[in-house]
Amino acid sequence: MAEAAVAKKPATTTGEAQEELTDGFHLVIDALKLNGINTIYNVPGIPITDLGRMAQAAGIRVISFRHEQNAGNAAAIAGFLTRKPGVCLTVSAPGFLNGLTALANATTNCFPMILISGSSEREVVDLQQGDYEEMDQLAIAKPLCKAAFRVLHAADIGIGIARAIRAAVSGRPGGVYLDLPAKLFGQVMNAEAGRKSLVKVIDAAPAQIPAAAAVKRALDVLKSAKRPLIILGKGAAYAQADDDIRAFVEKSGVPFLPMSMAKGLLPDTHPQCAGAARSTVLKDSDVVMLIGARLNWLLSHGKGKNWGEPHSKKFIQVDIEPKEMDSNVEIVAPVVGDIGSCVSALLAAMGDKWPAAPADWTGAVKAKREENITKMAPKLMKNTAPMDYHGALGALRTVVKERPDAILINEGANTLDLARGVIDMYKPRKRLDVGTWGVMGIGMGFAIAAAIETGKPVLAVEGDSAFGFSGMEVETICRYKLPVCVVIFNNDGIYRGTDVNPAGSDPATTVFVKGSRYDKMMEAFGGVGVNATTPDELKRAVDTAMDSGKPTLINAVIDPASGSESGRIGNLNPQSVLRKK
Ligand SMILES: Cc1ncc(C[n+]2csc(CCOP(=O)(O)OP(=O)(O)O)c2C)c(N)n1
Ligand SMILES: [Mg+2]
């Protein structure tokens, strides 16, 4: 158990033994340390400034950000990478709300995270008498996260933190809110009683073993397939069951399609990878096995023309959440359990005589994939100025190939969709991106946490708009001297930099200042800034940054005309029937 910090209370009357005391501040820190939480992502202020200071003094790494949303995103992705809840610490009302976006996003993406916010006086808040930063934070957080708790007494801190940890990581992981009122921190109690009140969470995410009958049913369906497909989602990446997942996919011989954050679970260059034949496999498959992937909008809900409707596909789904089954289409073989336990059970039940996947199908997928890769190749070699997306991404693809351990962060529209297709990943959990919501603003928070949690070099490939949502954190990157290289695909705007406002003098809604030099922002904080106008220059600059580990920002000048509206999802835009084209 961690050594609880204590204070000696002076004797009140002569001869009385000194009582060892602790307080709310120390109990929170001791409870976190006892549970192996060694990093806090933080923005200081009343009432948690001293908590951050004291946590740092007690050996917890406290990383202070410029905005809570970025600290929250950092905590969320730390949770994804480590399977321990990432902790974000904020002040009350506005700080809490800033962190809440990240908490909701973490919950949607099934990342385990705890948002700890200080809050104002309960009595004043509940009577709505206008306290400093008054807000009923617990009530507001509840619908946006997996669980929400408030601790009113120092003696309950241990239990409160234990509940938060369990809620975040057990079952389907998600975001948890923990409300700590200002008064709690100064509450004093006997140190020994305080120590005893702490809880070390045992087996925080217990294995959930699938039923043998469910495993057999799934394998029977898979075996009956003529054109089987396996789809790996980020739940499979989270599971850290990398060897078993690879063994299962390889033993099955079935083509696999990785969702974007599952890329690298098996290398994108693996002979069974169907990433470059995505539309073919979705359309033509007859049995689809989902492993830690949901049939949400990212997979067109499992129906419609992308799936070759009318079809009679059969779906097998492996997921920890029973309610996920039949959420969009019928699941003929649900396998409910944690991904690690499920995949190892599937692997064991396959036995030694598992038949090879039908050769006409695997051959057809391979042919399509090679055709598409060949079509793409010349686009990736264009060395022009200004660059187009493919030319710039061709350079970055080589950088990642040469550094498979580096972590790639990616957000934007064209910058995201094209990078996802072009940049091959080779190892698990190396690609972190906008996830289920397609949210902008994860960039610098994810980059910082990825560097802190893994110690590996980080390459953040950012649209110029996407970067703007968290751009101030380049100061944080410089302050902590993190090995982060940010590449901004600067096309002067959102989707394209060429829009014109037909009605007046204001700029069009999607364009930014032309010819901006984002590299100068990095120089302002002592980092390295580079302006790159060709793929060769870009490659050289990224190589230098990745080798040196110095905080670097490269302004990659992209032709403003080369993107398309909303990247690959322009079809989701509603259309006005009245608007004249
Ligand atoms: C929080 C949030 N706000 C707004 C959006 C809408 N949106 C989607 S992509 C995008 C920016 C795209 O521009 P950029 O990052 O420059 O990428 P590009 O297509 O130009 O390469 C925006 C604002 C969003 N996804 N998330
Ligand atoms: Mg842009």
Side-chain angles (χ1 to χ4, degrees):
M1 175 177 151
E3 203 45 42
V6 291
K8 299 261 193 251
K9 190 173 110 180
T12 46
T13 49
T14 333
E16 186 186 310
Q18 284 196 346
E19 187 190 3
E20 225 188 343
L21 295 177
T22 186
D23 64 12
F25 285 110
H26 291 95
L27 287 165
V28 171
I29 292 163
D30 292 341
L32 292 173
K33 285 181 75 172
L34 180 64
N35 284 290
I37 291 179
N38 47 26
T39 306
I40 294 175
Y41 298 94
N42 166 67
V43 177
I46 298 170
I48 52 86
T49 312
D50 272 349
L51 182 65
R53 286 194 184 110
M54 291 158 83
Q56 189 172 51
I60 293 182
R61 194 145 192 222
V62 182
I63 307 296
S64 277
F65 283 69
R66 306 298 293 261
H67 190 290
E68 292 87 354
Q69 189 177 121
N70 306 320
N73 284 326
I77 210 66
F80 173 76
L81 289 168
T82 64
R83 294 169 61 86
K84 279 196 304 196
V87 172
C88 173
L89 180 61
T90 80
V91 303
S92 27
F96 155 77
L97 286 174
N98 286 343
L100 194 57
T101 304
L103 187 72
N105 188 54
T107 306
T108 299
N109 282 283
C110 318
F111 299 154
M113 151 179 188
I114 303 173
L115 175 67
I116 302 181
S117 295
S119 60
S120 305
E121 298 298 331
R122 284 253 44 86
E123 295 81 351
V124 185
V125 172
D126 288 350
L127 274 171
Q128 298 167 41
Q129 293 173 311
D131 202 2
Y132 169 70
E133 297 191 346
E134 173 181 299
M135 178 170 280
D136 188 358
Q137 296 167 198
L138 186 73
I140 290 165
K142 245 179 212 167
L144 296 173
C145 59
K146 194 178 163 194
F149 305 102
R150 175 186 291 134
V151 182
L152 291 174
H153 301 294
D156 292 332
I157 287 172
I159 288 292
I161 287 184
R163 298 210 72 186
I165 291 171
R166 271 196 197 282
V169 297
S170 62
R172 171 175 280 177
V176 175
Y177 176 60
L178 187 62
D179 192 86
L180 302 183
K183 262 191 195 166
L184 179 77
F185 296 111
Q187 271 182 34
V188 168
M189 69 182 286
N190 175 277
E192 183 53 23
R195 267 194 288 270
K196 286 194 178 137
S197 73
L198 300 184
V199 177
K200 184 165 168 55
V201 177
I202 311 293
D203 197 13
Q208 291 180 223
I209 314 288
V215 169
K216 179 174 184 311
R217 190 190 298 120
L219 288 176
D220 287 347
V221 176
L222 188 64
K223 201 184 272 181
S224 74
K226 295 196 171 59
R227 297 178 305 282
L229 171 67
I230 292 173
I231 299 183
L232 300 170
K234 66 179 170 314
Y238 176 79
Q240 298 197 14
D242 307 335
D243 292 347
D244 274 1
I245 288 171
R246 183 172 183 144
F248 173 72
V249 172
E250 288 183 340
K251 193 168 182 182
S252 76
V254 170
F256 70 92
L257 189 64
M259 299 304 286
S260 76
M261 281 178 58
K263 275 164 71 81
L265 261 177
L266 288 86
D268 284 329
T269 49
H270 191 282
Q272 286 168 254
C273 183
R278 186 178 194 271
S279 34
T280 301
V281 290
L282 291 188
K283 227 181 264 139
D284 295 345
S285 52
D286 65 346
V287 168
V288 180
M289 179 178 220
L290 301 151
I291 303 182
R294 293 170 288 184
L295 281 176
N296 55 22
W297 72 279
L298 288 160
L299 284 171
S300 312
H301 307 282
K303 53 198 171 193
K305 67 175 187 335
N306 291 339
W307 289 91
E309 210 129 82
H311 66 62
S312 54
K313 269 184 229 302
K314 289 183 178 163
F315 287 97
I316 304 164
Q317 185 158 27
V318 182
D319 202 284
I320 198 163
E321 174 57 63
K323 290 203 298 282
E324 190 59 43
M325 306 301 157
D326 306 325
S327 62
N328 286 271
V329 294
E330 179 190 16
I331 302 299
V332 301
V335 183
V336 174
D338 72 276
I339 302 288
S341 300
C342 290
V343 173
S344 89
L346 286 161
L347 194 55
M350 282 167 108
D352 298 329
K353 297 193 193 76
W354 188 262
D360 52 345
W361 169 241
T362 55
V365 174
K366 192 158 170 266
K368 187 73 202 170
R369 163 197 156 131
E370 272 157 23
E371 180 192 325
N372 287 343
I373 290 174
T374 309
K375 234 187 271 168
M376 170 98 82
K379 291 194 202 168
L380 302 178
M381 285 158 50
K382 269 206 330 214
N383 194 25
T384 55
M387 296 180 268
D388 64 12
Y389 284 93
H390 284 94
L393 287 168
L396 298 184
R397 167 188 162 97
T398 310
V399 170
V400 172
K401 184 175 181 183
E402 290 166 357
R403 290 174 185 73
D405 280 319
I407 296 187
L408 178 70
I409 313 291
N410 192 197
E411 61 176 336
N414 293 280
T415 305
L416 175 90
D417 290 343
L418 296 171
R420 183 176 58 234
V422 168
I423 301 180
D424 287 331
M425 305 306 297
Y426 301 87
K427 294 194 175 180
R429 294 171 297 284
K430 298 296 186 190
R431 186 189 152 85
L432 310 173
D433 66 27
V434 299
T436 311
W437 269 349
V439 68
M440 298 298 111
I442 49 87
M444 298 304 101
F446 277 19
I448 289 166
I452 299 269
E453 300 289 339
T454 70
K456 301 277 191 266
V458 175
L459 174 62
V461 179
E462 302 270 313
D464 52 341
S465 165
F467 172 72
F469 288 74
S470 66
M472 191 64 216
E473 303 297 347
V474 293
E475 188 276 330
T476 311
I477 292 170
C478 290
R479 186 166 16 110
Y480 291 94
K481 302 185 175 58
L482 298 174
V484 174
C485 173
V486 183
V487 175
I488 296 185
F489 275 32
N490 187 358
N491 65 344
D492 295 343
I494 298 172
Y495 313 140
R496 297 163 75 90
T498 50
D499 253 11
V500 176
N501 170 10
S505 58
D506 278 344
T509 58
T510 55
V511 302
F512 298 148
V513 169
K514 299 209 181 305
S516 297
R517 290 286 301 275
Y518 291 93
D519 48 312
K520 302 279 184 198
M521 281 176 71
M522 201 60 155
E523 290 175 355
F525 303 110
V528 177
V530 181
N531 188 53
T533 56
T534 65
D536 282 352
E537 270 175 36
L538 176 60
K539 168 92 172 40
R540 268 198 302 277
V542 180
D543 280 340
T544 306
M546 303 293 275
D547 292 343
S548 72
K550 285 193 189 139
T552 301
L553 192 154
I554 301 163
N555 184 62
V557 182
I558 304 287
D559 179 357
S562 73
S564 56
E565 177 91 0
S566 302
R568 289 264 166 90
I569 54 173
N571 60 310
L572 299 181
N573 283 305
Q575 299 293 329
S576 164
V577 286
L578 301 178
R579 189 167 115 184
K580 298 217 167 48
K581 290 273 167 189

